Amino acid sequence: QESITRARRLLEDEPALSTEEALLALEIGQPIEAQRLIEEASIQDMTSATIPYVKGNIACAFGRFNEARNYFDQALDEDPAHIRARLNRVSVLMALDRAEEALDDCENLLKIAPSLLLARCRRAESKMLLAQWESAKEDLEYILEANQRHPHALTQLAACEIALGKPEHAEAPLNEALRHDPNHAPAWHERGLLYLEWGREEAALADFIKAAKADEDHLDARLHIAAIHHENQNWENASEAWRSVLSLDPEHKIARKRFDEVELKISSS
């Protein structure tokens, strides 16, 4: 913000300043302000690839993924080598369940920037969506050769091992991920799923609780917590857990049904 303020004194009418201000607003969680600033910038500059790129990021912040995809398309039409726009389009395509297109974008990214580990990570995720587990595993192992402390790659590697029917190989990378980042919610959740598969329900519940603490918006972890309490007829805990699910997703039909069941059990007892 200080740098932008100084730049405004020197370059009062420079449209790039509004673009940078929009990116800053988005970074600090002010998407409405970012939208105002980028519209101001777009009036002054109709050709910059950065403007549709920022608009795409704003659309993502509001969960409008089809709109975001269109903006990233525009950015890449203006500048096919715009790496961040292509990376973000990959994420949007995966959110839209268009994994094959996401994979194509990843291949193009790695042609432009062969050493970009984030592109390789996105390629692994795209392959996982397409159930190409062995190939995804190769990409993740490549990342871990470059950075052994990569918690996301370790977590995804464990997910591949589970999908390949080798859950006994999954616990070690999950433990390693949590050693490097104790607040990595996906690793807590994935290890909880592993323990659930092994019948270690108490350990699974503890991991799901840690996942929910690490990421308050982790819906799947909260669903598992609620389901375990419900199955064990711990009605008070189940009621609280289903309520937390509904606070994240008020329209969740199963959570609403289970919550009503629990409340009936509690009132009747």
Side-chain angles (χ1 to χ4, degrees), residues 32-250:
I32 294 174
E33 176 65 6
Q35 197 160 19
R36 183 189 70 78
L37 288 162
I38 202 63
E39 290 302 333
E40 178 183 311
S42 64
I43 293 170
Q44 299 171 290
D45 185 354
M46 303 293 289
T47 59
S48 170
T50 308
I51 288 173
Y53 163 70
V54 176
K55 287 184 176 181
N57 289 342
I58 293 169
C60 284
F62 287 108
R64 303 194 298 258
F65 297 122
N66 280 307
E67 180 183 333
R69 189 258 170 89
N70 290 335
Y71 281 128
F72 293 137
D73 287 350
Q74 290 177 33
L76 289 165
D77 285 344
E78 294 289 341
D79 180 7
H82 197 305
I83 289 176
R84 290 301 311 185
R86 198 173 292 276
L87 272 171
N88 289 3
R89 188 169 73 176
V90 168
S91 297
V92 165
L93 287 168
M94 286 195 287
L96 293 170
D97 199 24
R98 304 181 76 158
E100 290 185 2
E101 292 175 55
L103 183 56
D104 288 342
D105 257 352
C106 290
E107 299 292 359
N108 287 326
L109 266 171
L110 287 166
K111 288 176 184 175
I112 298 169
S115 61
L116 185 61
L117 292 183
L118 185 53
R120 197 171 288 271
C121 190
R122 292 288 180 269
R123 186 169 75 172
E125 291 169 346
S126 301
K127 289 175 179 177
M128 289 170 73
L129 288 174
L130 295 167
Q132 298 176 11
W133 305 109
E134 285 288 359
S135 184
K137 186 178 166 184
E138 289 175 8
D139 275 335
L140 294 165
E141 287 172 342
Y142 179 95
I143 294 166
L144 290 167
E145 285 179 11
N147 179 9
Q148 296 177 357
R149 301 165 60 90
H150 198 299
H152 184 65
L154 286 162
T155 303
Q156 296 294 71
L157 178 62
C160 287
E161 296 287 13
I162 293 169
L164 288 166
K166 301 175 183 177
E168 67 278 5
H169 295 164
E171 188 176 19
L174 289 171
N175 290 342
E176 188 71 6
L178 291 167
R179 187 171 72 83
H180 294 308
D181 184 1
N183 292 315
H184 192 60
W188 287 116
H189 180 251
E190 195 67 43
R191 199 174 73 171
L193 293 175
L194 179 64
Y195 288 159
L196 205 58
E197 185 173 325
W198 286 347
R200 296 170 57 184
E201 190 176 88
E202 190 173 330
L205 178 60
D207 277 2
F208 292 139
I209 290 171
K210 287 175 181 175
K213 284 182 178 177
D215 178 3
E216 294 181 354
D217 294 329
H218 202 304
L219 184 64
D220 285 343
R222 293 188 183 277
L223 281 166
H224 283 296
I225 293 167
I228 290 171
H229 285 313
H230 197 109
E231 186 176 342
N232 292 331
Q233 299 184 11
N234 296 326
W235 304 127
E236 294 290 344
N237 290 337
S239 175
E240 182 181 347
W242 287 123
R243 188 180 286 109
S244 72
V245 171
L246 291 168
S247 70
L248 292 179
D249 184 0

